[in-house]
Amino acid sequence: MSLLNRAVSLTLPLVPKPIVRHFSKRYIAGSTLDDALKVVSDLHRQGAMVTMDILGEFISTRDEATINTEDYLALLQRIHDERLHETNVSVKLSALGLLLDEKLCLENMRRVLQAVSKTGNFIRIDMEDSPCTTATLAIHQALRSEFGERVGVVLQSRMRRTMDDVDDVAREPANFRLCKGIYLEPRKIAYTDPELIRRNFVLALDRMFELGCYVGIATHDEILVWESLRLIRKHGLTSDQYEFQMLLGVDEQLRSILIDAGHRLRVYVPYGAQWYAYSVRRLKENPQIAGHALRAMLVGVRS
Ligand code: FDA
């Protein structure tokens, strides 16, 4: 961990909320759905598709899980009412009760999936840290057998188990998001060498394409973008058989390069009242982000 990253993450709890807000506003679309929808319209104008995420993972009561479920139902209804065709949603299962009671979480997800099916939308189940992996894949499997192509899941190339998970999930037609994985995991279960995380990304993507899966290729690492383009060409894919995905506020230049070249690109748009807890946790979980954010801010200030 570089000195800069360590310094930013250690001093974070002392930083006043408005300053954390300043850091995070580039990456978080606001605290309300109305704030977020302004960002979504802007992204649509730039030719990007969107996936919306309501911040609020790792809750401690069943009531909070119910409130989060209701928020997702309201979000899906609003997307439908405003005819935002290129907008789907992403969810972290811990926000719907995964760590309190898996059955409760599955029931909450069933309610959400019924709304997804009714409105003709799609929901992506984000992947959280390793204690959630097996349960997340099990819930995804249960929902997929009930709701089919309306639901997809995320795999992380950081994890040693990922190649097995690709084959396991893709026994039936699958829709993946592939990313490196944001949570720092122990070496016993995860690759820690950045070059191996990259190579495993390429290996997993190649296998996903070979198995006929639709993949949301989620990275801002230009070497991985290059490798992905190589694999897209190798498998002879057309532009409706995959998409690139990027986080709000990160490398907007690479985003427009991909859109201008005719690729579909989806931006991940997180929003919600929990923006402060989310920002602090992300920076603590992976202090590298602090470095990225600070660098992005300084470049912004200079230009
Ligand atoms: P890398 O970390 O090497 O970043 C490449 C460059 O991008 C950096 O040098 C920096 O300039 C810039 N950058 C990357 N992240 C940044 C940030 N946060 N702020 C500012 N600049 C940044 N993870 C997970 O565990 N579960 C999940 O469900 C998801 N979902 C998800 C959705 C989408 C659409 C994306 C793009 C990413 C995720 N992730 C995720 C996060 C992912 O696992 C990974 O941590 C980040 O994408 C960073 O990895 P890169 O591949 O971009 O490479």
Side-chain angles (χ1 to χ4, degrees):
M1 189 192 309
S2 82
L3 266 179
L4 171 71
N5 296 342
R6 190 190 294 268
V8 177
S9 74
L10 284 179
T11 51
L12 201 68
L14 311 172
V15 177
K17 213 168 166 180
I19 295 183
V20 177
R21 177 79 194 103
H22 186 78
F23 256 98
S24 63
K25 75 172 182 233
R26 184 187 173 108
Y27 308 103
I28 295 175
S31 52
T32 67
L33 177 52
D34 284 328
D35 293 337
L37 288 177
K38 285 187 202 130
V39 174
V40 170
S41 305
D42 204 34
L43 288 164
H44 284 328
R45 269 195 296 277
Q46 295 167 33
M49 306 182 293
V50 167
T51 187
M52 297 182 76
D53 167 60
I54 308 176
L55 300 172
E57 68 230 72
F58 297 123
I59 49 159
S60 53
T61 67
R62 300 170 77 91
D63 284 349
E64 286 174 290
T66 307
I67 292 169
N68 288 341
T69 305
E70 305 284 343
D71 285 349
Y72 268 96
L73 297 177
L75 170 60
L76 284 159
Q77 191 57 48
R78 189 79 184 269
I79 290 173
H80 180 66
D81 292 346
E82 305 219 357
R83 296 189 167 81
L84 301 174
H85 297 300
E86 299 293 7
T87 304
N88 65 34
V89 295
S90 290
V91 65
K92 290 185 175 55
L93 292 186
S94 63
L96 268 58
L98 183 73
L99 300 175
L100 299 174
D101 175 353
E102 285 177 29
K103 276 198 188 131
L104 168 81
C105 180
L106 181 56
E107 278 318 306
N108 286 336
M109 277 301 285
R110 277 212 179 95
R111 287 182 67 199
V112 174
L113 254 306
Q114 276 153 6
V116 167
S117 297
K118 206 172 114 204
T119 56
N121 210 325
F122 172 84
I123 189 161
R124 171 81 57 197
I125 302 176
D126 285 350
M127 186 56 78
E128 299 175 73
D129 54 355
S130 56
C132 299
T133 312
T134 300
T136 300
L137 291 175
I139 289 184
H140 166 258
Q141 173 66 38
L143 293 168
R144 195 176 46 166
S145 51
E146 226 175 300
F147 298 96
E149 61 181 18
R150 297 278 162 212
V151 60
V153 74
V154 178
L155 291 180
Q156 302 151 321
S157 69
R158 179 186 298 278
M159 302 300 290
R160 292 182 189 270
R161 58 181 284 171
T162 286
M163 287 305 288
D164 291 334
D165 288 337
V166 173
D167 284 343
D168 198 32
V169 175
R171 274 179 295 152
E172 292 165 43
N175 185 323
F176 288 111
R177 174 192 297 147
L178 178 63
C179 62
K180 286 183 180 175
I182 200 161
Y183 310 90
L184 298 183
E185 301 283 359
R187 186 171 172 213
K188 196 158 179 244
I189 56 166
Y191 299 108
T192 53
D193 176 343
E195 192 46 40
L196 281 182
I197 297 171
R198 252 193 199 140
R199 287 199 198 183
N200 207 39
F201 190 107
V202 178
L203 203 61
L205 184 61
D206 198 13
R207 182 74 181 141
M208 288 172 178
F209 284 157
E210 190 175 80
L211 293 170
C213 306
Y214 184 91
V215 190
I217 306 164
T219 184
H220 323 88
D221 179 339
E222 206 167 345
I223 293 183
L224 284 185
V225 169
W226 186 88
E227 288 284 3
S228 304
L229 293 172
R230 180 178 67 76
L231 291 176
I232 288 163
R233 186 179 283 259
K234 173 183 146 187
H235 289 275
L237 301 182
T238 50
S239 62
D240 56 348
Q241 291 177 296
Y242 63 89
E243 65 188 47
F244 285 94
Q245 297 189 349
M246 294 177 65
L247 299 172
L248 183 67
V250 178
D251 205 341
E252 288 158 20
Q253 191 174 28
L254 182 58
R255 190 206 285 169
S256 35
I257 289 171
L258 287 168
I259 293 175
D260 292 349
H263 302 285
R264 282 150 41 95
L265 186 135
R266 192 176 300 278
V267 178
Y268 187 99
V269 175
Y271 75 95
Q274 303 296 322
W275 64 267
Y276 179 74
Y278 172 85
S279 309
V280 170
R281 197 169 42 245
R282 278 294 113 82
L283 289 168
K284 279 190 182 156
E285 269 159 6
N286 190 344
Q288 255 189 332
I289 296 173
H292 293 327
L294 190 59
R295 267 186 291 276
M297 200 172 79
L298 292 175
V299 170
V301 167
R302 267 192 258 122
S303 58

